[in-house]
Structures are given as structure tokens and as C-alpha cells.
Amino acid sequence: MGREEHGVSGGTTIDKAFEALYASDDGSLDTAASLLAADPGADAERDRRGEEFVRTLWIRGWQPADLVRTARRELADEHVRLLAGLIRAETARYERLPHRWQAQIDELDAAGGRPADRFSQATTVLELYRLLVRLPRLDAVGPVPGEALPPAAAGEPRMLTRIRALLAKAEATGYPEEAEALTAKAQELMARHSLDEATLAAGAPSPETPGAIRIGVEPPYEQAKAILLDAVATANHCRAVWNEVYGFSTVVGFEADLDPVELLYTSLLVQGTAAMTRAEAEQRAGGRKRTKSFRQSFLLAYANRLGDRLSATSRRVAAEAPTLLPALASREVAVSARTDELFPETRATRVRAAWDEAGWNHGATAADAAGLHPNRPHLP
């Protein structure tokens, strides 16, 4: 009898407290936190409801990295840690997770201690849950846990492993010429792999259709970063659509192209940031103070110049097999159609950046240093 009463008490507390999730004032949240803090018997139901909120967001198109990125932008570290625990608990029940989900879960923040007092703990829970219940539906970019999944691939494709290794070396080297040659080789591998996929499709058309992934594009200088990602995607037969509000771009393309695009974008961002830091140091050594406009202009020039060079490499590789150009064109039409289906109301965005000539020139130079000359030798 005592257990039944306890359950009723918990349920009543939760229902009353959760009304605050939909209220517009923080006073309601404080009252709700007091209710939860005073009823330890409601803790299990409170946590279970949190997992339900997370599950609902999977169905509404969100993925683990999307939720964490949004919580980190809107709330504090303790909310992110709480969210990570909910995600782990919710996804642990599935025998298999969709492709790329496990990698996102592996990157979650390590579990941390809860606030010392129950009121602070309850406040953190309610603030997180209020964010979760207010998130909108997103366009789905793949299956959700619990749905039928395609057969799991046995390990990472060899081509992707080679690209990953080349880009890791490019990021680690202290020689710009070597980084240039390594990055160029990675882009050439990507272009040739895409050509191989087009060859297979031309010989024996498959039912494969374009898919999509989300890639975080976060402050600062997110507009320049989104332009860089768009350049990488375009050069590799994909399309990128930036969602500024939630800090990501959706890249649409055939499966074989998606992971390489993310790898190359991430590497070029690392290389560009390092080059920008060096350029700023040179400017300061010359007695010139550099500002946000310098960094914005640097990254915009870097993205603009790299886009031209990446596309030139892809065109050069494609020209080596002119008979496959119709197959490549057909795949690009399919990617464009899928993008339009997912995002029927996209619009162009004007570049919002203060102009700094020195920043632009340094950025263009850095792009050349990370540029694509596969026939140039690299330093030992």
C-alpha cells in the first residue's frame, strides 16, 4: 500500500511541476523546483520523463550532437552533463544505433556530480527539460533508434582511413608545403572515389539515393565557417544548407561522399585557424593590432580561395574520364533534388563581416598554403 501511495505522490508532483515547462516566467520554474526538491519519491519518474523527451526529439529529427550543441549554446555545463546522461540512458536500450550515432555518443561529456542541494538539482533538470520541450521539428537525416537499419558496415572504408591519415599529417606538420601536398592528395582521393562511385552507378544503377548529415558550425565566425563547409561540399558533389539558429549545416549527398566532406572540412578549419593565429602574431610583431574584422576577413578569404582550388581539383580528376561526366551530372541532379525536397524554402544570406584588407590577404595566402597542387613534392 505504501508503494502505491508513493507512486501516486510522485506522479502528482511531476504533473504539477512540469506545468512550469510551458510557462513563460521563471517564477513558475522556481515553484516547480521546490515541489520536486521536496519529493525524493518523484526522482525516478522525473528521470524517466526526461528520457521520453529525448526519445521524442529523435522522432522529431534531432540527433545526440544536435541536442548537445544546442544545450551548450543556451544553457550551462551542468545542463549539458545532465543531457549527456539522459542520452546515454535512452540509447542504451537499443541493440544497434544508426550510422554515426555511436561516435556522437562517445563524444558526450563525462558524467559529473549533481548540484549539492536538491533545489539546485531540480532547477537544472527543469531548465533543461524546458529547452527540450520547446525545440522544433527538424528535417530527418536518417533513421532513429529502434527503426529498421541497413546492415552494419564491417569497419571503416579503406579510402576513408587513408584520407583521415593524410589530413592528420597535414594538421600536425610544421611545414606549409607538406600540409599543402597532403591536403591536395586527400582531395584528389575524394574526387577519385566519387568518380569510382559514379562508374559503378553507370554500370549497374543502384537504388541508392542521396542521404544527409549534420555538421556543427559554431561561433565565432560561423558565417565564414559555413561558407568553407559549403565550398568543400560543392567541390565534392554535395550541397550544404546552413541553419544559423541551431549552429549546424546539413550536407546532402551520396553516402560515399558525406564522411569525406566532414573530414576535409574539419581538417581545413584546423589548418585555417592555425594559419590565422600565426598571421595575427606577425601583425602584432609589426606593431599592428588586429581585431575581429581581421579574423572574419581572413576566414572568408580562406574559404573563398579554397573553394576555387578544391573545385579545380575535382574538375581535373573528372576530366580524366569524360565518358563518366553524364553519370556525375546525374548524381548531382539527384543531390540537388533531394536538397530541394528537404529544404524547399532556403534563401541566400548576405555576408555580414567588417572588411579588413590585411585579413583578406593573409587568408588568401593561407588558402594557397593549404592549396591543391598534387604534383608538388612535399618536405621530408
Side-chain angles (χ1 to χ4, degrees):
M1 183 67 178
R3 175 173 291 181
E4 291 178 359
E5 291 176 352
H6 178 79
V8 170
S9 171
T12 301
T13 299
I14 292 296
D15 292 338
K16 288 182 177 179
F18 278 22
E19 291 176 3
L21 302 181
Y22 307 92
S24 58
D25 62 298
D26 287 339
S28 298
L29 208 68
D30 290 341
T31 302
S34 297
L35 281 173
L36 291 180
D39 189 358
D43 289 0
E45 176 66 11
R46 176 203 64 196
D47 295 344
R48 188 188 68 78
R49 296 277 189 100
E51 292 178 34
E52 285 185 357
F53 291 148
V54 168
R55 170 64 187 172
T56 298
L57 286 167
W58 300 159
I59 297 170
R60 292 172 64 82
W62 291 76
Q63 294 186 0
D66 304 322
L67 291 184
V68 171
R69 187 184 308 114
T70 300
R72 188 172 286 122
R73 285 164 64 105
E74 301 293 333
L75 300 171
D77 288 346
E78 57 265 30
H79 302 90
V80 175
R81 288 193 295 268
L82 174 62
L83 175 60
L86 291 174
I87 291 172
R88 288 196 185 93
E90 206 292 318
T91 55
R93 70 187 65 186
Y94 306 105
E95 183 177 349
R96 278 186 61 208
L97 292 172
H99 181 45
R100 300 185 182 92
W101 278 58
Q102 189 59 54
Q104 296 180 33
I105 292 168
D106 290 343
E107 293 179 358
L108 294 176
D109 290 346
R114 292 189 172 186
D117 64 280
R118 287 188 55 80
F119 179 79
S120 297
Q121 177 185 336
T123 300
T124 298
V125 168
L126 290 170
E127 287 171 343
L128 174 63
Y129 289 7
R130 181 171 61 178
L131 174 67
L132 297 182
V133 300
R134 296 180 178 185
L135 292 177
R137 180 179 295 276
L138 296 179
D139 296 288
V141 294
V144 301
E147 292 183 350
L149 302 175
E156 184 175 78
R158 185 177 179 183
M159 178 276 305
L160 198 60
T161 302
R162 291 178 65 193
I163 291 172
R164 191 185 301 279
L166 286 167
L167 294 176
K169 291 180 180 178
E171 294 167 25
T173 182
Y175 299 105
E177 295 89 348
E178 184 175 24
E180 174 186 348
L182 291 165
T183 304
K185 185 62 177 176
Q187 172 60 26
E188 185 171 355
L189 276 177
M190 291 168 63
R192 293 192 183 283
H193 180 68
S194 190
L195 200 64
D196 290 342
E197 292 293 315
T199 302
L200 293 173
S206 72
E208 181 191 7
T209 57
I213 60 173
R214 293 195 192 101
I215 299 175
V217 180
E218 303 186 57
Y221 318 117
E222 58 268 38
Q223 190 172 54
K225 293 174 183 176
I227 291 171
L228 175 61
L229 177 53
D230 180 73
V232 174
T234 300
N236 289 283
H237 315 292
C238 297
R239 293 270 301 276
V241 178
W242 181 35
N243 185 320
E244 183 178 5
V245 174
Y246 291 107
F248 63 77
S249 283
T250 302
V251 178
V252 183
F254 283 91
E255 188 64 31
D257 295 325
L258 294 176
D259 284 334
V261 164
E262 182 172 16
L263 278 176
L264 183 56
Y265 163 71
T266 303
S267 178
L268 289 174
L269 193 56
V270 169
Q271 294 182 55
T273 302
M276 182 175 66
T277 301
R278 290 193 297 269
E280 285 192 298
E282 292 174 6
Q283 293 292 302
R284 286 194 297 271
R288 293 181 294 276
K289 182 179 179 181
R290 283 305 155 197
T291 62
K292 181 178 180 180
S293 62
F294 174 87
R295 293 186 286 273
Q296 286 178 326
S297 297
F298 181 102
L299 288 175
L300 285 169
Y302 182 76
N304 183 67
R305 183 69 63 88
L306 269 174
D308 292 341
R309 302 177 76 80
L310 290 167
S311 294
T313 296
S314 292
R315 289 194 299 270
R316 176 179 58 79
V317 171
E320 296 173 5
T323 58
L324 290 174
L325 292 180
L328 280 173
S330 176
R331 288 167 72 85
E332 291 190 354
V333 167
V335 169
S336 294
R338 178 59 176 154
T339 305
D340 293 340
E341 179 184 340
L342 287 173
F343 306 103
E345 298 180 359
T346 56
R347 58 183 176 82
T349 299
R350 293 176 61 88
V351 174
R352 303 184 306 275
W355 172 256
D356 185 293
E357 184 175 1
W360 182 273
N361 291 335
H362 277 285
T365 301
D368 288 339
L372 304 172
H373 298 292
N375 296 322
R376 286 181 57 172
H378 62 267
L379 297 179

